[in-house]
Amino acid sequence: MGNNLIPLRIAGVGYSLPETVITNEDLTKLYDTSDEWIYTRTGIKERRVVSGEENAIDLGYQAAKNAIEKSGIDIEELDLILAASSAPPDLYPAIACHIHQRLGIQRQIPAFDITAACSGLIYGLSIAKAYISSGMYKNILIVATDNNSRLVDWTDRGTSILFGDGAGAMVVTASEDGVDDVIAIDIKADGNYGNLIELAFDGKNCPLVEQYEEKPKGIRMNGRGVYTFVAKILPHYVEELVAKAGMNADDIDYLIPHQANIRIIQAVQERLGYSDDKVVTNIKYYGNTSAASIPIALAESVEKGKVKLGTTAILCGFGAGMTWGGAVVRLREGIC
Ligand code: UT7
């Protein structure tokens, strides 16, 4: 390798989805819309949503358990838990701390959340890579979980059609054979575009200081603005990432993108010159599950045999912030 950096192995991936399904047809009971409008603009037919007491922690816990089992790593060997979420049920404790407790881990290890919206899994992988390559930690659990169905404004037909709930998880470890499963990784943000997707926290002023002012409720998104921004940057960004990996697009087996809009996915696919069988899409059934969308797409497509192991894949995503990121990874046998 020519340096002292420790390579990373992706040891296990897992996912979890709530059972309740909401179809486009169901949404016509809430506002003036149609299956045809939603499907042609987004590629979404239905999405899953939490119900009752179920929340992002439950989904994240299931996905984490799943990924840990696949990894063969004992929970007491974990050195760090990262949770990526933009829809936590509480501001604190962090989801990562909840997951530590739910898994029944006795060791006191660091656990914290990352707020990078739909880019959360890539941000988490990038942080994990830095810790592993420096030798600081060996085994890291990354959980990406969101239940945006509790945060969208269900009267806003421009936004609530898009989101679904779910969780995905990944266990990474120091590679024993010198091969790094993260061939290239990059994360970015541009806060100047922060107002494209916003969710205000409804904190209250001290009444002695000033009158409390009601803040707008639910996710507010400039859909057209997000679309234009992402369609402009993402295809070129992914192309640069492939170059950074020292590869050609043809050398890579799959594109496993964030599932936000089928037309954005197709723009990236076209730029890479990939046929449909190289591109993983499940947006039709789950909508946009935010941070969870990439790991769900990865784990489910392997489970269903669409993605073969012993291969390579491009992961890429974008979200509120605006944040975005991508990775070229190796998918070894046994991860799922
Ligand atoms: O990870 C989060 C990232 N977010 C995204 O990736 C969002 C990316 N953007 C998109 O996917 C698209 O912008 C949307 C699907 C959200 C919207 O599609 P659009 O073609 O950009 O529509 P628009 O917002 O420009 O609205 C066009 C028209 C408007 O009507 P008028 O003003 O032209 O009469 C909207 O009121 O469509 C109307 N509209 C709807 N009509 C039927 C908006 N939502 C709906 C709806 N059903 N659900």
Side-chain angles (χ1 to χ4, degrees), residues 16 18 32 60 75 93 100 110 135 139 160 175 187-188 199 209 214 221 225 232 268 274 279 288 302:
S16 165
D32 181 18
I75 50 165
H100 176 266
N139 301 315
S160 55
S175 172
I187 51 175
K188 292 262 186 302
L199 176 61
V209 180
E214 200 66 40
M221 182 181 72
K232 196 168 150 207
V268 177
Y274 281 9
V279 183
N288 177 349
V302 173

Side-chain angles (χ1 to χ4, degrees), residues 2 28 65 70 142 148 168 203 224 252 259 271:
T28 63
K65 232 173 63 159
K70 302 282 171 43
I142 309 163
N148 279 306
R224 187 53 67 95
I252 302 171
Q259 310 284 310
R271 183 68 74 98

Side-chain angles (χ1 to χ4, degrees), residues 92-321:
Y92 48 82
I95 289 185
C97 295
H98 280 289
I99 302 279
H100 176 266
Q101 181 262 333
R102 291 285 287 275
L103 286 169
I105 297 174
Q106 295 304 309
R107 258 180 89 210
Q108 295 173 337
I109 54 170
F112 61 90
D113 289 2
I114 307 159
T115 307
C118 311
S119 316
L121 188 274
I122 309 282
Y123 267 64
L125 185 58
S126 173
I127 295 167
K129 180 161 175 56
Y131 275 127
I132 287 177
S133 58
S134 71
M136 190 155 170
Y137 298 126
K138 186 170 177 230
N139 301 315
I140 301 178
L141 167 66
I142 309 163
V143 183
T145 181
D146 270 315
N147 57 221
N148 279 306
S149 70
R150 292 243 165 81
L151 299 175
V152 290
D153 172 357
W154 284 104
T155 65
D156 176 2
R157 64 179 182 168
T159 303
S160 55
I161 52 164
L162 293 179
F163 294 99
D165 302 334
M170 194 179 257
V171 175
V172 295
T173 184
S175 172
E176 303 83 355
D177 59 7
V179 177
D180 202 326
D181 290 354
V182 177
I183 304 165
I185 189 159
D186 185 73
I187 51 175
K188 292 262 186 302
D190 190 340
N192 294 303
Y193 295 88
N195 61 1
L196 289 177
I197 317 175
E198 293 176 303
L199 176 61
F201 170 65
D202 202 17
K204 293 183 172 50
N205 301 326
C206 169
L208 296 174
V209 180
E210 54 201 344
Q211 202 76 41
Y212 171 65
E213 269 181 52
E214 200 66 40
K215 297 218 175 86
K217 296 242 185 316
I219 298 170
R220 286 180 305 137
M221 182 181 72
N222 172 351
R224 187 53 67 95
V226 173
Y227 187 91
T228 309
F229 178 81
V230 177
K232 196 168 150 207
I233 62 156
L234 200 64
H236 178 60
Y237 176 71
V238 169
E239 216 170 42
E240 280 185 349
L241 186 77
V242 170
K244 194 175 163 185
M247 299 169 90
N248 295 313
D250 290 346
D251 303 331
I252 302 171
D253 299 298
Y254 302 104
L255 170 66
I256 308 178
H258 170 44
Q259 310 284 310
N261 182 305
I262 196 72
R263 291 180 296 156
I264 293 175
I265 295 174
Q266 283 162 352
V268 177
Q269 173 178 356
E270 256 168 52
R271 183 68 74 98
L272 293 168
Y274 281 9
S275 53
D276 287 350
D277 58 325
K278 290 185 70 154
V279 183
V280 174
T281 59
N282 60 13
I283 189 169
K284 189 170 175 183
Y285 304 105
Y286 308 134
N288 177 349
T289 55
S290 294
S293 116
I294 295 172
I296 293 174
L298 166 58
E300 189 197 46
S301 58
V302 173
E303 195 178 85
K304 293 196 166 157
K306 163 152 181 143
V307 163
K308 305 271 177 281
L309 295 177
T311 55
T312 50
I314 302 168
L315 314 179
C316 64
F318 60 89

